[in-house]
C-alpha cells in the first residue's frame, strides 16, 4: 500500500536544525541508530514491525510546492533553504532488522547513514512508525502466547487511536500472531483474513432471539457463530443457538465453522456451562469464542480456571496496548564521518545510566545454541569485526563486566541481524507479505527459551557489547569534552 506524502510528518526542530546545517554548510555524513531501552509490559522480548511503511515513507520523501509554500508562510526559513527543499530526496543508506524478528533493548533496529540534513529529517517519522507497530506486534505476541494455541482475533478498530492506528495496528497484530482481524480495510490492503460475527443490535432488531439466530444461520450457513449474551446466556442464548444448530443438522447443513460467542459475564463459568450444554446436544465441535475487554493476563487467568473457550476476540487492550501505551524507541547520533571517510564514534552521556548510548558504526550478531537452535545472546559490535564460530567466544555483561560466559567453539552459530534496505538512496529490499512476516515471527519466537516468553518475570536475553566496542565506549566516557 502506497501512503500519501508524509514529508511534513516531522517535528519543527528537525527542519530548523536542517536549515542550521544548510546555512553553515555542515552536512557531513553521519550515523543515527534507532533503538529502544526496555521491553513493553516488562516482557522478555519485543517484535520488530513497521519497516514496510518506513520504506514507503522514504520512497515518497519530497517537498511538494504546497509543502514549500506552507513552510514559507511560517516566516522562519530562508528562500535559499526553501529552494533546497524543493529538490530534496533521500540519498543515504538504511539498514534494519527485518519485520517479524525478535528484538531486544539497546540494539539498533534501524541504522541511518546519510548527510546529516537527511538523517535528521527522517527521525520523527521513523520513530512514530516503528514505535507504534512494534508496540502492537509485541502486545499481540503476548496475547497469543497466553492463548496457548487457540486462535486470537484482533477486534480493536473502533477503539483504536484513529484510522491509521487501526489499520497499521491490525497489520502489526497479524505479525504478532493473530489469525485475523475485524478490520476490512486491513484485509484488503494487506491480504490478511477478516473475521467477525454479529452485534447485539442484530438480535434486538428481530422479534425474538431465536428468529435472529435462525435468520443469521440462513444467511451464513458456512460460518455461523452466534452471540448468545444479549438477554440471558444460559437460559436463552445457548438454548436458542442449540435449537438453530439442530435445525441446520436436520436440514443437512454442515457448517465449516460454527459456535457461540460470549461477550459478558463470568467467562470461565459461562463457557464451562455452555460447553456442557453444547456437548450434551451433540455439538462437541462447536467453537466457544469470547470477547469483552480481554488481554493476555485475563486470558492466562481464564486458562488457569479451565475456561472452555477456544477462540478469543481481543480489542481495546490489544489495539491500544492499554497497559503500556508507548514503545519508547529513540533515535541517537552514533558517528560522524571525517575527511578521510572514517566514522568517528560519538556518545551521548547522561546522569541516567540507561540513557548513555553505544557509539560508532555498529552491527548486531545473534548467537544461537547449535544443539537447540535457541538464542544465547545478541552481540553488538563494530561493522568491521569478524568472529569465527569455530573458536571460543567470551561474552560479558557491559554493565557488570565480571559476569562472563565463554561459549566453546563449535557449540554456537551466529547470524547478522541488520539487512541493507536503502543503499545510496535506492531501495534494495523487497518486503515480504504480511502472512510471510507472521510466519517468520512464529519461527523467530521458536528460537526463544520458554523462560523468556513467560508473562511474569521472564528471563532476559543478554545483549552484550564486543570487547572492542566496550573499550571504545569506555574511552569516550573517560575523555569526554564538556
Amino acid at each position: 500500500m502506497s501512503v500519501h506524502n508524509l514529508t511534513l510528518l516531522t517535528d519543527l526542530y528537525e527542519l530548523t536544525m536542517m536549515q542550521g546545517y544548510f546555512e553553515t554548510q555542515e552536512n557531513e555524513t553521519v550515523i543515527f541508530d534507532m533503538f529502544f531501552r526496555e521491553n513493553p509490559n516488562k516482557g522478555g522480548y519485543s517484535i520488530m514491525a513497521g519497516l514496510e511503511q518506513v520504506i514507503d515513507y522514504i520512497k515518497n520523501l519530497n517537498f511538494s510546492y504546497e509543502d514549500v509554500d506552507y513552510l514559507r508562510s511560517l516566516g522562519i526559513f530562508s528562500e535559499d533553504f526553501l529552494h533546497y527543499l524543493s529538490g530534496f530526496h533521500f540519498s543515504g543508506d538504511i539498514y534494519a532488522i527485518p519485520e517479524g524478528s525478535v528484538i531486544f533493548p539497546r540494539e539498533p533496529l534501524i541504522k541511518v547513514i546519510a548527510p546529516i540534513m537527511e538523517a535528521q529529517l527522517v527521525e520523527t517519522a521513523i520513530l512514530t512508525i516503528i514505535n507504534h507497530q512494534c508496540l502492537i506486534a509485541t502486545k499481540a505476541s503476548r496475547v497469543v502466547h497466553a492463548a496457548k494455541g487457540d486462535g486470537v482475533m484482533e477486534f480493536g478498530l473502533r477503539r483504536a487511536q484513529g484510522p491509521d492506528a487501526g489499520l497499521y495496528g491490525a497489520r502489526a497484530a497479524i505479525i504478532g500472531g493473530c489469525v485475523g482481524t475485524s478490520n476490512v480495510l486491513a484485509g484488503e490492503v494487506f491480504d490478511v483474513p477478516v473475521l467477525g460475527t454479529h452485534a447485539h443490535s442484530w438480535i434486538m432488531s428481530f422479534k425474538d432471539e431465536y428468529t435472529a439466530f435462525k435468520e443469521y444461520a440462513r444467511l451464513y450457513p458456512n460460518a455461523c457463530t452466534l452471540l448468545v449474551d444479549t438477554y440471558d446466556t444460559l437460559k436463552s442464548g445457548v438454548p436458542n443457538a442449540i435449537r438453530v444448530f439442530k435445525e441446520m443438522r436436520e436440514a443437512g447443513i454442515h457448517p465449516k465453522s460454527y459456535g457461540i460467542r460470549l461477550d459478558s459475564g463470568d467467562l470461565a463459568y459461562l463457557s464451562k456451562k455452555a460447553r456442557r450444554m453444547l456437548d450434551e446436544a451433540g455439538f462437541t465441535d462447536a467453537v466457544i469464542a469470547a470477547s469483552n475487554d480481554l488481554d493476555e493476563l485475563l486470558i492466562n487467568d481464564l486458562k488457569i480456571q479451565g475456561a472452555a473457550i477456544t477462540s478469543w476476540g481481543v480489542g481495546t487492550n490489544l489495539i491500544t496496548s492499554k497497559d503500556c501505551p508507548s514503545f519508547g524507541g529513540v533515535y541517537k547520533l552514533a558517528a560522524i564521518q571525517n575527511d578521510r571517510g572514517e566514522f568517528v564514534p560519538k556518545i551521548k552521556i547522561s546522569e541516567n545510566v540507561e540513557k548513555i548510548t553505544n557509539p560508532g558504526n555498529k552491527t548486531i550478531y545473534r548467537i544461537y545454541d547449535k544443539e537447540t537452535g535457541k538464542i544465547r545472546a545478541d552481540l553488538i559490535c563494530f561493522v568491521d569485526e569478524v568472529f569465527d564460530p569455530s573458536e571460543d567466544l567470551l561474552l560479558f555483561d557491559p554493565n557488570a563486566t565480571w559476569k562472563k560466559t565463554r561459549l566453546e567453539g563449535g557449540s554456537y552459530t551466529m547470524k547478522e541481524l541488520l539487512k541493507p534496505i536503502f543503499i545510496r538512496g535506492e531501495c534494495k529490499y523487497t518486503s515480504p507479505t504480511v502472512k510471510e512476516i507472521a510466519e517468520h515471527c512464529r519461527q523467530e519466537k521458536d528460537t526463544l527459551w520458554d523462560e523468556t516468553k513467560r508473562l511474569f518475570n521472564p528471563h532476559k536475553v543478554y545483549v552484550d557489547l564486543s570487547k572492542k566496542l566496550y573499550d571504545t565506549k569506555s574511552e569516550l566516557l573517560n575523555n569526554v569534552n564538556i
Side-chain angles (χ1 to χ4, degrees), residues 281-413:
F283 300 106
T284 56
D285 58 344
V287 170
I288 298 181
S291 46
N292 188 28
D293 288 334
L294 298 172
D295 63 10
E296 69 270 35
L297 303 184
L298 180 52
I299 292 174
N300 184 67
D301 284 348
L302 288 168
K303 283 286 189 180
I304 292 172
Q305 295 169 50
I309 298 164
T310 53
S311 180
W312 308 84
V314 187
T316 304
N317 292 321
L318 193 165
I319 202 66
T320 66
S321 188
K322 187 175 180 180
D323 53 347
C324 183
S326 65
F327 192 68
V330 295
Y331 185 87
K332 300 299 180 183
L333 181 68
I336 297 178
Q337 194 174 53
N338 63 21
D339 294 338
R340 298 186 300 276
E342 303 164 335
F343 281 107
V344 179
K346 296 291 181 178
I347 190 169
K348 175 187 179 296
I349 298 178
S350 172
E351 291 185 3
N352 298 329
V353 175
E354 69 276 6
K355 290 190 174 184
I356 298 174
T357 59
N358 291 319
N361 186 9
K362 302 177 295 296
T363 190
I364 315 153
Y365 284 98
R366 180 151 293 166
I367 303 168
Y368 301 90
D369 181 86
K370 192 171 185 178
E371 182 177 348
T372 64
K374 302 295 186 182
I375 297 173
R376 292 295 304 267
D378 277 4
L379 181 66
I380 306 175
C381 61
F382 290 122
V383 294
D384 59 356
E385 293 191 73
V386 178
F387 301 91
D388 184 352
S390 67
E391 298 178 355
D392 288 2
L393 179 65
L394 180 65
L395 300 175
F396 62 93
D397 186 330
N399 296 315
T401 55
W402 62 90
K403 296 181 179 179
K404 295 181 174 68
T405 298
R406 183 177 295 278
L407 303 181
E408 292 185 5
S411 70
Y412 65 93
T413 61

Side-chain angles (χ1 to χ4, degrees), residues 164-452:
D164 280 355
L167 178 64
Y168 290 102
R171 179 184 187 275
I174 296 293
I175 289 172
C178 290
V179 298
T181 175
S182 67
N183 188 328
V184 180
L185 181 58
E188 178 192 27
V189 172
F190 304 122
D191 188 28
V192 296
V194 288
L195 305 167
T197 54
H198 58 77
H200 294 104
S201 58
W202 172 267
I203 309 296
M204 296 162 64
S205 67
F206 288 84
K207 65 178 182 179
D208 56 44
E209 189 176 52
Y210 163 69
T211 303
F213 285 173
K214 185 174 182 178
E215 186 62 18
Y216 190 83
R218 183 186 69 81
L219 290 168
Y220 307 106
N222 287 321
C224 183
T225 301
L226 304 174
L227 181 60
V228 296
D229 71 332
T230 303
Y231 302 121
D232 189 301
T233 299
L234 298 179
K235 292 182 179 179
S236 172
V238 177
N240 278 323
I242 290 173
R243 180 181 175 187
V244 170
F245 295 154
K246 286 181 176 179
E247 292 173 355
M248 294 174 72
R249 184 169 58 188
E250 291 167 359
I253 300 172
H254 303 287
K256 292 180 180 179
S257 65
Y258 75 104
I260 63 171
R261 178 163 71 97
L262 304 171
D263 190 48
S264 61
D266 186 328
L267 296 179
Y269 172 78
L270 292 173
S271 66
K272 286 185 279 189
K273 287 288 188 180
R275 180 77 274 162
R276 182 177 301 174
M277 295 167 69
L278 289 164
D279 289 352
E280 290 175 351
F283 300 106
T284 56
D285 58 344
V287 170
I288 298 181
S291 46
N292 188 28
D293 288 334
L294 298 172
D295 63 10
E296 69 270 35
L297 303 184
L298 180 52
I299 292 174
N300 184 67
D301 284 348
L302 288 168
K303 283 286 189 180
I304 292 172
Q305 295 169 50
I309 298 164
T310 53
S311 180
W312 308 84
V314 187
T316 304
N317 292 321
L318 193 165
I319 202 66
T320 66
S321 188
K322 187 175 180 180
D323 53 347
C324 183
S326 65
F327 192 68
V330 295
Y331 185 87
K332 300 299 180 183
L333 181 68
I336 297 178
Q337 194 174 53
N338 63 21
D339 294 338
R340 298 186 300 276
E342 303 164 335
F343 281 107
V344 179
K346 296 291 181 178
I347 190 169
K348 175 187 179 296
I349 298 178
S350 172
E351 291 185 3
N352 298 329
V353 175
E354 69 276 6
K355 290 190 174 184
I356 298 174
T357 59
N358 291 319
N361 186 9
K362 302 177 295 296
T363 190
I364 315 153
Y365 284 98
R366 180 151 293 166
I367 303 168
Y368 301 90
D369 181 86
K370 192 171 185 178
E371 182 177 348
T372 64
K374 302 295 186 182
I375 297 173
R376 292 295 304 267
D378 277 4
L379 181 66
I380 306 175
C381 61
F382 290 122
V383 294
D384 59 356
E385 293 191 73
V386 178
F387 301 91
D388 184 352
S390 67
E391 298 178 355
D392 288 2
L393 179 65
L394 180 65
L395 300 175
F396 62 93
D397 186 330
N399 296 315
T401 55
W402 62 90
K403 296 181 179 179
K404 295 181 174 68
T405 298
R406 183 177 295 278
L407 303 181
E408 292 185 5
S411 70
Y412 65 93
T413 61
M414 303 180 75
K415 179 179 76 173
E416 189 170 4
L417 298 187
L418 289 172
K419 305 298 181 184
I421 310 300
F422 286 86
I423 300 297
R424 291 185 291 278
E426 182 179 349
C427 186
K428 300 293 185 179
Y429 182 82
T430 300
S431 292
T433 67
V434 176
K435 292 177 184 176
E436 289 169 340
I437 297 170
E439 173 58 22
H440 172 63
C441 185
R442 186 194 65 77
Q443 295 174 6
E444 280 279 289
K445 286 186 284 187
D446 283 344
T447 67
L448 293 170
W449 302 90
D450 289 341
E451 293 84 351
T452 299

